[in-house]
């Protein structure tokens, strides 16, 4: 299967899970509103350039916003994530990331710990911007911190589960 | 000049990032105008079409609950039929008739249009409900939306077949309300945190408030039918600065599971508006 089709199918599955499963789960607490759709951007191959990444994130964020009735909110968070991603990859990986070609970030390609740090930081960045923009409209600092920590924890849990389910192996090492 | 181009090329990614963020923030903070634009309409119809499909599957899981609710409502309505209410009098029988327009000229003020909820949220600061009924089916902005249990909100956006409702769980929503036992108008609002806790403020302290009191819409609302149920008082707080209460109200409607709603058209609205305009002119 060509990588392009693979990523499109993966995107659609993530979107459906986010919108019709996670969005509809009765919330455990007002601080816990987990997200999974942004993993699509985290899992894009290393080959994707910074510019492409920004445009993909723009479209992706807009699609999610369409369903959440929040024009611009997820869009802003996705674009920030896309902007932060290449810098983080350069920082965490010793090699130049363009050499990795069609590989995508996973436990197998990056190693357990760097991959975990990579996902954690990007999740934090995405959620922080999302919740900060909510906070500007209402809420308090306590609300911001509480929601950031609780939501990031649950989202990380979801990413780990997704990782196990999709079972992404390195095609070559 | 050359330096400017060099600068643009060097920082082109960062600049694009900035432009995208600015676009996103403009969309976010001027959401009302944007939503009414063409782009907003198209995206809403598309998202609505997909939501409808999924909702068709989802509604199977709650069929039995919905059946029970409808049966209860049927029973309620049957008991309201004119033939069901007869006034016993010492001199004779008087049958109460509430038809559309009868010999004693009962005028109907509110018409209920049934609508299905196809998308709904409770945990955002500004929650919206989307109904599968739009301008083609006679929905207009500013109409009230109620359900069997109580009021839901107000229609804010209308497209051809969908309408967007600002629910009570929206930090911009304000509904004039009163206690069912009478006296004191207040405002129902939401602080954006707990979907089971609305705030009722501006009720004067001269009114006696007890836990469990029912809160209904005011008789002077031009949108909501007077006396529509909203919720019950679960917490009473005194506002130290003013002479009013701050009451926490638990809504009767469970916004998590609401499936059927009625959009309320106020038939007399144009007439009321015309009268109001006369006052403004003077």
């Amino acid at each position: 299967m060509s990588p392009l089709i693979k990523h499109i199918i993966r995107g659609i599955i993530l979107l459906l899970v986010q919108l019709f499963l996670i969005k509809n789960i009765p919330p455990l607490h007002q601080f816990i509103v987990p997200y999974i759709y942004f993993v699509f951007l985290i899992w894009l191959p290393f080959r994707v350039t910074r510019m492409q990444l920004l445009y993909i994130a723009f479209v992706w964020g807009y699609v999610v916003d369409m369903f959440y009735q929040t024009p611009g909110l997820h869009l802003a968070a996705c674009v920030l994530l896309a902007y932060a991603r290449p810098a983080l990859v350069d920082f965490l990986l010793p090699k130049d990331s363009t050499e990795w070609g069609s590989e995508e970030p996973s436990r197998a390609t990056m190693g357990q710990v760097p991959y975990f740090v990579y996902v954690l930081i990007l999740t934090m960045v995405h959620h922080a911007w999302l919740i900060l923009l909510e906070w500007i409209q209402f809420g308090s600092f306590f609300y911001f911190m509480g929601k950031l920590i609780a939501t990031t924890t649950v989202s990380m849990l979801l990413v780990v589960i997704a990782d196990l389910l999709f079972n992404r192996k390195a095609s070559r090492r | 000049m050359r330096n400017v181009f060099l600068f643009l090329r060097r920082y082109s990614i960062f600049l694009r990032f900035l432009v995208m963020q600015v676009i996103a923030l403009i969309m976010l903070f001027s959401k009302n105008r944007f939503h009414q634009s063409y782009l907003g309409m198209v995206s809403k119809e598309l998202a609505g079409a997909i939501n409808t499909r999924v909702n068709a599957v989802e509604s199977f899981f709650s069929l039995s609950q919905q059946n029970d609710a409808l049966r209860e409502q049927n029973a309620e309505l049957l008991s309201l039929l004119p033939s069901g209410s007869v006034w016993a009098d010492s001199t004779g029988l008087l049958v109460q008739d509430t038809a559309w327009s009868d010999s004693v000229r009962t005028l109907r003020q509110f018409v209920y249009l049934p609508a299905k909820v196809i998308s709904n949220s409770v945990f955002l600061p500004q929650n919206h409900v989307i109904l599968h009924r739009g301008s083609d089916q006679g929905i207009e902005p500013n109409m009230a939306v109620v359900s069997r249990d109580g009021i839901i909100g107000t229609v804010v956006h209308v497209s051809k077949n969908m309408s967007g409702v600002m629910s009570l769980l929206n930090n911009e929503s304000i509904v004039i309300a009163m206690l069912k036992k009478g006296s004191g108008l207040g405002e129902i609002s939401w602080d954006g945190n707990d979907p089971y806790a609305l705030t009722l403020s501006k009720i004067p302290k001269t009114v006696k408030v007890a836990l469990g009191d029912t809160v209904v819409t005011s008789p002077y609302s031009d949108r909501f039918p007077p006396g529509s149920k909203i919720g019950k008082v679960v917490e009473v707080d005194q506002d130290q600065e003013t002479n009013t209460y701050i009451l926490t109200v638990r809504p009767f409607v469970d916004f998590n599971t609401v499936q059927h709603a009625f959009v309320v058209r106020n038939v007399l609205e144009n007439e009321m508006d015309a009268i109001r305009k006369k006052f403004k002119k003077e």
Side-chain angles (χ1 to χ4, degrees):
Chain A
M1 192 169 22
S2 93
L4 181 69
I5 296 175
K6 189 177 85 179
H7 279 100
I8 290 175
I9 292 177
R10 178 185 288 166
I12 292 173
I13 292 177
L14 283 172
L15 196 65
L16 290 178
V17 168
Q18 172 71 45
L19 294 173
F20 300 117
L21 212 62
I22 294 177
K23 193 181 161 203
N24 289 350
I25 293 175
L28 306 167
H29 189 266
Q30 52 154 315
F31 282 169
I32 304 177
V33 188
Y35 297 102
I36 186 78
Y37 71 92
F38 62 92
V39 168
F40 175 71
L41 299 172
I42 292 183
W43 283 353
L44 285 175
F46 291 115
R47 193 175 48 185
V48 178
T49 64
R50 292 172 180 222
M51 200 69 88
Q52 289 167 343
L53 203 58
L54 275 185
Y55 284 117
I56 294 173
F58 191 86
V59 174
W60 187 239
Y62 185 73
V63 170
V64 175
D65 274 333
M66 245 155 74
F67 287 92
Y68 266 86
Q69 302 286 314
T70 52
L73 184 66
H74 295 273
L75 178 50
C78 280
V79 170
L80 184 69
L81 189 156
Y83 186 72
R85 195 189 112 143
L88 195 64
V89 170
D90 286 348
F91 177 73
L92 283 172
L93 289 181
K95 280 198 270 181
D96 186 9
S97 59
T98 49
E99 283 176 28
W100 291 67
S102 60
E103 298 284 350
E104 54 188 67
S106 71
R107 277 177 306 166
T109 51
M110 291 176 79
Q112 292 274 10
V113 176
Y115 176 68
F116 187 78
V117 174
Y118 167 79
V119 175
L120 181 67
I121 292 179
L122 285 182
T123 310
M124 280 283 240
V125 166
H126 175 267
H127 285 23
W129 194 226
L130 201 69
I131 298 164
L132 185 76
L133 286 177
E134 264 179 19
W135 174 31
I136 291 173
Q137 293 172 70
F138 83 90
S140 59
F141 182 72
F142 173 72
Y143 173 86
F144 173 70
M145 285 313 288
K147 192 165 175 182
L148 179 60
I149 292 169
T151 302
T152 306
T153 312
V154 179
S155 287
M156 277 302 290
L157 201 66
L158 287 177
V159 175
V160 170
I161 292 171
D163 238 331
L164 296 173
L165 283 178
F166 275 100
N167 193 21
R168 297 168 311 123
K169 293 193 188 92
S171 48
R172 63 195 153 77
R173 194 66 211 267
Chain B
M1 202 61 202
R2 194 169 148 265
N3 283 340
V4 173
F5 282 119
L6 271 182
F7 174 83
L8 284 180
R9 218 164 90 190
R10 178 135 190 238
Y11 291 98
S12 72
I13 291 180
F14 181 66
L15 287 175
R16 263 166 234 234
F17 165 70
L18 277 188
V19 169
M20 285 177 182
Q21 282 290 338
V22 169
I23 292 175
L25 295 184
I26 289 174
M27 278 161 80
L28 186 59
F29 290 108
S30 63
K31 56 195 171 302
N32 285 329
R33 254 171 298 150
F34 179 78
H35 247 272
Q36 280 158 0
S37 73
Y38 179 72
L39 202 58
M41 280 307 152
V42 170
S43 62
K44 194 177 287 173
E45 286 282 329
L46 181 68
I50 298 177
N51 274 327
T52 319
R53 299 249 164 125
V54 174
N55 193 269
V57 177
E58 274 177 356
S59 61
F60 269 109
F61 296 109
S62 57
L63 267 185
S64 66
Q65 283 168 19
Q66 294 294 327
N67 271 345
D68 286 346
L70 288 175
R71 214 172 289 137
E72 256 174 58
Q73 190 174 17
N74 269 344
E76 255 171 52
L77 290 175
L78 281 175
S79 65
L80 289 176
L81 277 181
S83 59
S85 59
V86 172
W87 291 2
D89 199 322
S90 52
T91 53
L93 285 177
L94 176 68
V95 178
Q96 191 190 5
D97 193 349
T98 53
W100 156 232
S101 172
D102 71 355
S103 53
V104 291
R105 300 287 299 158
T106 316
L107 272 178
R108 187 194 277 213
Q109 188 181 2
F110 295 100
V111 179
Y112 291 75
L113 312 164
K116 193 153 192 312
V117 176
I118 54 171
S119 158
N120 166 13
S121 64
V122 294
F123 258 73
L124 307 171
Q126 293 174 333
N127 294 300
H128 294 275
V129 176
I130 297 191
L131 301 178
H132 198 192
R133 234 177 196 278
S135 56
D136 280 3
Q137 290 85 29
I139 310 283
E140 287 161 20
N142 271 337
M143 285 182 171
V145 180
V146 302
S147 77
R148 193 178 64 90
D149 303 317
I151 70 171
I152 293 179
T154 314
V155 177
V156 283
H157 306 302
V158 180
S159 66
K160 276 183 105 168
N161 293 303
M162 312 277 166
S163 50
V165 178
M166 179 166 81
S167 77
L168 287 183
L169 303 184
N170 189 312
N171 54 11
E172 285 175 5
S173 140
I174 287 180
V175 173
I176 309 294
M178 58 180 271
L179 296 172
K180 193 182 181 184
K181 56 187 180 187
S183 60
L185 288 179
E187 281 179 359
I188 285 275
S189 56
W190 190 52
D191 59 1
N193 289 328
D194 184 357
Y196 294 109
L198 303 168
T199 311
L200 174 59
S201 52
K202 300 198 179 166
I203 295 272
K205 278 182 187 161
T206 49
V207 178
K208 283 220 164 118
V209 180
L211 292 181
D213 278 355
T214 308
V215 179
V216 297
T217 54
S218 91
Y220 310 122
S221 168
D222 52 354
R223 293 204 302 258
F224 292 101
S228 306
K229 288 180 282 184
I230 298 177
K232 66 175 185 206
V233 176
V234 289
E235 204 183 312
V236 178
D237 242 339
Q238 316 265 346
D239 190 346
Q240 301 296 336
E241 284 140 26
T242 63
N243 202 20
T244 56
Y245 288 111
I246 295 178
L247 306 173
T248 307
V249 175
R250 189 187 166 95
F252 285 134
V253 180
D254 189 347
F255 286 92
N256 264 322
T257 57
V258 64
Q259 293 258 357
H260 292 280
F262 298 95
V263 182
V264 185
R265 168 193 284 276
N266 185 351
V267 179
L268 301 183
E269 194 177 10
N270 290 342
E271 237 175 288
M272 284 162 84
D273 278 350
I275 292 274
R276 258 190 222 128
K277 267 184 199 148
K278 278 187 188 162
F279 278 115
K280 271 183 197 160
K281 272 180 198 162
E282 278 167 13

